[in-house]
Every structure is written in C-alpha cells, then in structure tokens.
Amino acid sequence: MGFWWPTYLSGYPSIFFLTQRSLYVLVIDTGRDDLGHDESNLNYWLQVLELLGGKSPMFLVKNEKNDRGIQIDIFQKKKRFDFLKEDYKLNLNSLIPDTPTFNQKRLADFEQFKVDIQNELKDLPLVGFPMPKNWIKIRDKLLELSQKEYFISREAFIEICLENDVIDFKRQMELSGIFHDLGLLLHFQNYPNLEDFIILQNTWATDAVFVVLDNPIIKENYGKFTENDLVEVWGDKSYNPKVHSKLLSLMMQFEVCYQLDKIKPQTYIIPEMLPSSSPKGYVWTPRNDLPLYYKYDFMPKGIATRLIVRFNKHLSTSDGQQIVWKSGMKIDGKLLDCPETEAEIVETWDNRQIRIRIHGPYAKDLMSKLTFQIDDLNNELFKSQVDNDKINWHKMIPCICKVCQQNEVKHYYEYAELLERKQYGKENVECKMKPYELVDIRSLLEGILVKEMYNPILVPSQKTVKIFLASSSELKDERDQFEIFIYRENKRLIKSGVFLQLEIWEDFIDHVSQTRSQDEYNSMIQQCDVFVMLYFTKVGLYTLEEFEKALSKYKETNLPKIYTYFKKGNIMSTDVDRQSLLSLLDFQDKLKSLGHFQTDFENHSQLQLHFKKQLEKLYEF
Ligand SMILES: [Zn+2]
C-alpha cells in the first residue's frame, strides 16, 4: 500500500500524488470558524477526486476539534459523488488515554474507522493485473525496507532484483517504473540527479516539500529562496545535507519551483508563492494580438504555476526582474526562435480559463510552441480520463470573419470540433455572430497555428483500444513481456490520446476460478477490438474456444481483428506429448482452411515489432 499525505490544500503536490487504485481519506477540521470555507474546500477535493481519482473510493472524516460539529448534507454529496463511501465523526485529539481530552467513545469510533479502512483496502485491486511471484517478493522486500529507510540507492534496488531473478537492467528499471506508477515508491529514472534516488517513504519526501512551502521567511520573500536557506529549512536530521540537492531536484521535477539563471548563490522561485497581482507598472498593450484561450469544465489549481515553471527560461524581464505573478506571465519569444514576439498567459481561476495573447512577427510560431506545452500539461493532468469519453478541457480559437476581426468581442470555436469537422470532410463552419458568415476551417486553423502543429495527433481523442491476449500456459514469459510492451506503448501513446487496454487470458483452468469467471472472459472477447493469440507446442482447449468466439464475432462484425503468433523454437521430442502436438497441428490446419496466416516469431522483439506495426496500420498513431 502506498500512503500519500496530500495535506497542502492550495494545489500542486496534491495533484501529482493522486494515483488510481487507491483509497482516499479526506479529513476536514470542524473546529474553525469559517465553516463555509471548509465546505468549499470539501467540494474542491471531491471534484479533484472525481476528475483524477479514477473512481477510487473515499472516506470523509470530520475531525470535530473541541467537539464542535459541522453541518454538511452528506446524503446529497454521496448522491452527487458516488465514490464517497462513508463519513465519520471523529476527534483526533481525544484518542490518547490519560490526557485531559481523552474520550472512550471517540476512541471506539476511531477503532471502527480503522477496521473499515482495512476492510476497504482488502477489496482494492492492488494492481490491474496479476503480478508475477518474484515481483511480489521484490515488492514485499521494499515494503519491509521502508519501515526503516527513507530512501535507497539504485544499486540497492538492483541488488534486490537480482536476488529475485530479475537480472536484466532494462527489466529492473521497467519494474521500478511500474512500482512508481503504483505509488509504492518514487523513482524519477530519467531526471538528472534523481536516477540514483529511490524514495521508499513517500511522506518523508512530500513533507520535505511542505516545510519549504510553509516556511515563513520564504513566504515573506514571495517564494524566493537560496541553497543556503534550505540548510536551515531542512535542518532536521532526517533531511541530512547529503540529500538536500536530491530533494531540491525533486521539487523541480514536481514543477514546484525553478532556478533563476546566473545568480549566486543559486536562487529558486516557487511560483505558487509569487504575488497574486502583476508587477507594479506592468501593462500589456494590445497590438493586433493573436488570441486563444483554454476553457476547463473543472480546473484543478496550479496550472498557471506549473506553466510558469515550464516557461521560466522565457519569461520577459523589466529592470532585471521577471514579469511574472502567481496567475500570469509575460513571455519573450527570443529564445524560442520567435524574435520581437511576445506573449501574455493569464489564468483566471474563477471562470476556469487560461488566456493567451501574442503579438509580433512570429506570433503564429510562438502560439504553436506555447499551446503545444499547454496541451502536454493538460494531457498529463487529465490522463486518468483517457478511457473515459469526457474531455474536460477545450482549446478555443478565434473567428476570422470580417466582423470578428474588427471586433474586440469575437466568436471562438472549439479546436477539437474544427478538426473533427475537417475529418468528416466539412470545409466551413458558421460564425455565431451576426451576420453568421461561413468561415473556411483551414484558414481558421492556419490563421493561428503553423501548419505542422495542428496535426490531429495532438488532439486528445481519448480512444481506448481493447486487446485480448490468449495464450497457452507454457508461454508465461512471452505474456509478461507482452504486458510490459503494452505498458511502455501506453506511456508513449498518452500524448496522442490512445489507450491500449490489455486483457490477458492464460489457458490454465485454476486461474479462471481464482480470478474471473468464464462469462467475464466471454464478454471481454465480445467487446475487444484486437484479439491476439500466442501458441507454441500446443493449443489448449480453452485457448481454442476463445479463438472460436473471436472468430465468430469477427464474421458478424469485422471485429475483433485477429492475430495469431506461433513461436518457433527447438524443443526436445521428449517434452511433447502426442495430444499436444495434435492440438497444434489441428489448429494450424484450421487456420489454413480459413485462409488465415499465422505469423512466426522467435523472440519477444520480433513479436512486439510485428504487433506494433499492425497496430500502427490499424489506428494510424
Ligand atoms: Zn466571426
């Protein structure tokens, strides 16, 4: 179990640490006077979890400090947010016997809460797929280590892998990546200075970030701090000086802060703590501006501050000071190959928008580059919704009809919708302003972005491709490899909005009874887009049955696409029995009679390469 502690209500760390397959416990203190504030915080967190929590269950704890209650219409909230399972009235101050505030009933309530949590965790799918046994051993070893170590080195991790037969370095790093995604540890393998740093106690790392965010002196300096400041802030012995630079890299990796150039001692800025209004004397003078905005159905906090971190090398300066504030920034296009061109990006959290305006000779280029980054951040923030049809953010581009060109108030079109119209062969779209002119879609798109940048691939189409993998039990290694391959592909494809959903079938009857029923598998085959079958010395009875089902479905609907892969390899004649061999030959005869050709493979990479090509042909990604 990964245990996260996203207490920092004003935004960012929370959003990074949300993982799916979790149980969330939200604690609100009711001892405060501003109860309205608590309720809006509660609503905020419910919405964040709805958006990013991947349907994970949540418990609400009302911590009744000083035994003061709070009125919240839990029934309504449960109706609206169905993942909100239970609510508890506790008082965390009354749990320690022999203290003045101790209360026996409160302690009993708390014990019940603990039991409920344990029960809920039992029901939680630990991972989305059955883990190989040696992975479980590695996981358990890491959990055991995390009792006494905050972090370990990569070498120590590799050592544990070797002890459990994960020999290859590439596979060791893949495993670390999977554990990272599951919230078991934190390992940023590709980030400089962090590749050798595997964090086992996640709260230890997040607390390190919080103490910086909560430091009064850094607050007073509007988020500016130096290396030397950190020595004081992290003076605690658990944050010994050796790890300071690692923790700082971690903050940069989380996009919590960025480093100012050419200043000694090295100085950093936390955008979240910047002043809330623009610097004194700053005005943006419109000059034939190119505008665009993003609109969010629900806007998580911290989008602007993360954009500030991403664009920090390009912030304009005035008198040596960067033009940047908590919700906005001015950008100089010079280092982005857009000389004499500048942009302003402003977040208006109240109406859930990020607005961009740009002027200068390379306005379109700069718009393309900036929106590419913003799209990327949006895709990252909303990635848990990939298999959900709802798109929660909308890129809005301005109309170019005569009226709109001259008017300050313009009509805006949804970018994704324009692309969709184009894909359906529509050339025009009607402006919603009088006199409702027809506008050419191509000109609209080319009017704001450079041609290469409005490639449909950049649109989050959020398509799920369901793949069913059937194989005989002897091909366990191939199955594991295939699974890792799909996992890697998903990481690569996330930007194009495609999600590969893999269902694995192994022809092994015990497995069925332990996990899923035959009916469940049948319905999965009914729904899948791609059916992949691997076989070697035999074709098991059940694998054959799955194939037959997929085939009959294909004959009706042209789906799923069926791929059969035959593993070529040497085997000892004593290893094969007559019956197995017959099942193989029968199956191959059957394929021939269907006019279907099996693809032979000798190793994982051949199989993966072939399948990847097929996928690319099918889905053009
Ligand atoms: Zn118009």
Side-chain angles (χ1 to χ4, degrees):
M1 177 183 71
F3 189 53
W4 297 107
W5 196 244
T7 45
Y8 192 70
L9 273 176
S10 100
Y12 40 176
S14 55
I15 291 171
F16 298 92
F17 301 151
L18 292 178
T19 55
Q20 295 179 43
R21 297 183 285 264
S22 310
L23 164 68
Y24 294 99
V25 177
L26 182 64
V27 181
I28 50 172
D29 283 345
T30 64
R32 296 160 52 162
D33 290 326
D34 48 351
L35 292 184
H37 176 73
D38 282 343
E39 174 128 21
S40 72
N41 265 342
L42 173 61
N43 285 336
Y44 173 73
W45 279 102
L46 287 168
Q47 282 176 298
V48 167
L49 284 180
E50 178 177 46
L51 191 61
L52 308 170
K55 298 197 171 72
S56 294
M58 182 187 123
F59 287 176
L60 174 67
V61 171
K62 291 181 280 183
N63 182 26
E64 300 184 340
K65 277 189 182 167
N66 308 324
D67 292 322
R68 269 174 58 178
I70 178 178
Q71 290 305 318
I72 293 174
D73 190 345
I74 294 290
F75 181 73
Q76 283 300 326
K77 297 255 187 273
K78 280 185 183 163
K79 245 168 72 182
R80 164 73 181 77
F81 301 99
D82 56 3
F83 55 87
L84 172 52
K85 295 285 181 224
E86 298 294 339
D87 67 291
Y88 298 87
K89 288 180 194 161
L90 302 174
N91 182 348
L92 301 176
N93 281 339
S94 309
L95 306 179
I96 305 165
D98 303 325
T99 58
T101 47
F102 177 70
N103 178 315
Q104 191 65 46
K105 159 120 191 9
R106 291 289 196 183
L107 183 61
D109 290 348
F110 184 72
E111 292 302 329
Q112 183 56 49
F113 166 66
K114 269 165 59 182
V115 171
D116 290 356
I117 284 191
Q118 280 158 1
N119 287 336
E120 189 74 35
L121 288 176
K122 261 186 232 149
D123 294 342
L124 220 56
L126 182 60
V127 289
F129 51 87
M131 258 198 209
K133 277 206 187 72
N134 52 341
W135 290 17
I136 293 177
K137 280 193 192 145
I138 295 172
R139 183 198 68 190
D140 291 347
K141 178 77 193 161
L142 290 169
L143 285 173
E144 186 197 315
L145 264 178
S146 74
Q147 298 296 313
K148 45 181 201 285
E149 304 287 346
Y150 299 116
F151 60 92
I152 54 170
S153 67
R154 186 171 61 185
E155 274 53 50
F157 177 80
I158 288 174
E159 196 60 41
I160 298 168
C161 288
L162 290 173
E163 280 164 18
N164 290 287
D165 299 330
V166 180
I167 310 293
D168 184 34
F169 177 73
K170 225 172 110 196
R171 293 197 65 180
Q172 290 162 351
M173 290 304 103
E174 274 162 1
L175 186 56
S176 158
I178 290 169
F179 285 160
H180 174 103
D181 288 353
L182 293 173
L184 186 72
L185 47 75
L186 283 175
H187 187 197
F188 298 97
Q189 298 177 14
N190 301 320
Y191 197 81
N193 200 24
L194 292 176
E195 64 275 69
D196 186 34
F197 189 50
I198 299 183
I199 296 164
L200 299 180
Q201 287 191 25
N202 299 336
T203 49
W204 172 78
T206 51
D207 285 349
V209 180
F210 295 147
V211 291
V212 177
L213 297 173
D214 282 341
N215 185 277
I217 296 166
I218 298 177
K219 263 184 202 160
E220 225 166 80
N221 287 330
Y222 294 110
K224 193 190 256 190
F225 65 94
T226 66
E227 286 173 306
N228 303 337
D229 292 333
L230 290 179
V231 177
E232 256 170 58
V233 177
W234 284 332
D236 189 310
K237 61 176 180 304
S238 74
Y239 300 113
N240 80 52
K242 277 186 209 146
V243 297
H244 287 187
S245 84
K246 304 264 184 218
L247 292 170
L248 186 57
S249 299
L250 195 66
M251 285 176 68
M252 308 233 272
Q253 159 72 19
F254 286 165
E255 297 184 328
V256 170
C257 67
Y258 65 89
Q259 188 182 351
L260 287 177
D261 278 344
K262 300 174 203 131
I263 295 183
K264 287 278 165 188
Q266 278 177 14
T267 303
Y268 302 83
I269 300 280
I270 300 172
E272 179 67 26
M273 294 161 100
L274 284 167
S276 41
S277 45
S278 57
K280 228 173 167 189
Y282 167 71
V283 272
W284 173 270
T285 322
R287 221 173 52 214
N288 244 332
D289 288 356
L290 196 60
L292 179 148
Y293 73 96
Y294 287 83
K295 186 169 84 176
Y296 297 82
D297 296 343
F298 165 69
M299 193 176 197
K301 283 182 184 168
I303 293 185
T305 50
R306 288 186 66 182
L307 289 176
I308 292 171
V309 175
R310 287 197 183 195
F311 295 139
N312 80 78
K313 297 271 178 284
H314 307 292
L315 296 172
S316 304
T317 51
S318 157
D319 299 331
Q321 294 295 313
Q322 292 183 326
I323 303 177
V324 61
W325 61 105
K326 196 172 162 179
S327 56
M329 71 206 92
K330 187 177 175 190
I331 285 181
D332 184 344
K334 197 167 57 198
L335 292 175
L336 289 162
D337 294 328
C338 303
E340 312 290 315
T341 307
E342 37 190 27
E344 185 195 61
I345 304 179
V346 176
E347 172 186 271
T348 50
W349 203 67
D350 293 340
N351 62 5
R352 304 189 300 271
Q353 289 181 1
I354 298 270
R355 299 197 79 98
I356 308 170
R357 41 189 180 171
I358 303 183
H359 54 221
Y362 296 92
K364 262 201 299 186
D365 293 75
L366 189 56
M367 183 65 88
S368 305
K369 286 173 182 169
L370 297 180
T371 53
F372 183 79
Q373 286 291 330
I374 300 175
D375 291 354
D376 185 56
L377 178 63
N378 285 335
N379 282 332
E380 189 183 309
L381 285 172
F382 297 98
K383 71 179 165 211
S384 68
Q385 297 208 309
V386 162
D387 51 351
N388 182 332
D389 285 339
K390 245 166 70 191
I391 298 179
N392 284 278
W393 57 279
H394 315 270
K395 184 153 82 177
M396 308 297 293
I397 71 173
C399 181
I400 50 166
C401 77
K402 269 189 226 101
V403 175
C404 290
Q405 271 188 10
Q406 279 155 17
N407 244 335
E408 190 70 1
V409 185
K410 301 173 197 300
H411 175 62
Y412 280 78
Y413 303 93
E414 178 152 3
Y415 176 77
E417 238 174 77
L418 291 179
L419 287 181
E420 201 173 87
R421 288 179 81 93
K422 240 177 116 236
Q423 278 161 8
Y424 280 90
K426 302 275 178 228
E427 286 173 9
N428 303 311
V429 60
E430 191 189 276
C431 174
K432 291 276 180 301
M433 307 274 252
K434 287 172 218 166
Y436 307 112
E437 235 178 275
L438 272 187
V439 185
D440 178 50
I441 295 176
R442 183 181 295 266
S443 316
L444 264 176
L445 295 168
E446 286 179 10
I448 190 135
L449 298 166
V450 292
K451 213 169 172 185
E452 308 76 67
M453 298 297 276
Y454 62 78
N455 188 331
I457 282 175
L458 297 178
V459 185
S461 65
Q462 315 211 333
K463 177 173 178 47
T464 299
V465 178
K466 292 186 179 153
I467 301 170
F468 191 99
L469 176 68
S471 70
S472 44
S473 47
E474 61 191 340
L475 292 178
K476 183 181 179 317
D477 197 33
E478 279 72 13
R479 268 196 308 278
D480 290 348
Q481 286 293 329
F482 196 85
E483 186 160 8
I484 292 170
F485 158 72
I486 295 291
Y487 179 83
R488 266 200 318 259
E489 282 292 286
N490 271 332
K491 277 197 153 171
R492 187 176 68 85
L493 291 171
I494 199 106
K495 281 184 187 147
S496 45
V498 177
F499 179 71
L500 306 178
Q501 185 183 327
L502 181 64
E503 296 293 351
I504 294 187
W505 162 271
E506 50 183 311
D507 194 326
F508 189 51
I509 193 150
D510 286 347
H511 186 76
V512 186
S513 53
Q514 274 166 20
T515 52
R516 284 173 160 142
S517 70
Q518 186 68 41
D519 286 349
E520 277 177 272
Y521 276 107
N522 290 346
S523 92
M524 273 190 266
I525 293 175
Q526 290 291 317
Q527 290 165 23
C528 73
D529 304 295
V530 178
F531 181 89
V532 180
M533 179 168 160
L534 311 178
Y535 48 100
F536 182 32
T537 62
K538 60 183 169 199
V539 174
L541 205 58
Y542 295 95
T543 310
L544 185 63
E545 210 179 303
E546 305 309 324
F547 174 79
E548 303 272 7
K549 281 196 193 90
L551 184 66
S552 73
K553 176 90 195 305
Y554 175 78
K555 283 179 179 160
E556 277 168 43
T557 61
N558 229 8
L559 272 179
K561 303 292 178 207
I562 298 175
Y563 299 96
T564 52
Y565 291 98
F566 172 60
K567 182 174 170 172
K568 268 171 54 179
N570 298 323
I571 35 165
M572 300 290 287
S573 56
T574 45
D575 287 349
V576 196
D577 63 83
R578 186 187 154 81
Q579 205 186 351
S580 298
L581 200 59
L582 277 176
S583 72
L584 177 67
L585 295 173
D586 281 351
F587 182 69
Q588 287 176 329
D589 282 348
K590 187 182 178 72
L591 288 185
K592 266 186 216 141
S593 71
L594 289 165
H596 180 100
F597 295 99
Q598 68 180 21
T599 306
D600 298 348
F601 72 99
E602 281 168 26
N603 53 43
H604 308 308
S605 35
Q606 275 180 7
L607 168 66
Q608 289 167 11
L609 193 68
H610 185 272
F611 185 63
K612 190 171 167 170
K613 276 194 189 143
Q614 299 307 313
L615 276 184
E616 278 166 359
K617 262 192 229 161
L618 277 177
Y619 298 105
E620 296 177 347
F621 35 74

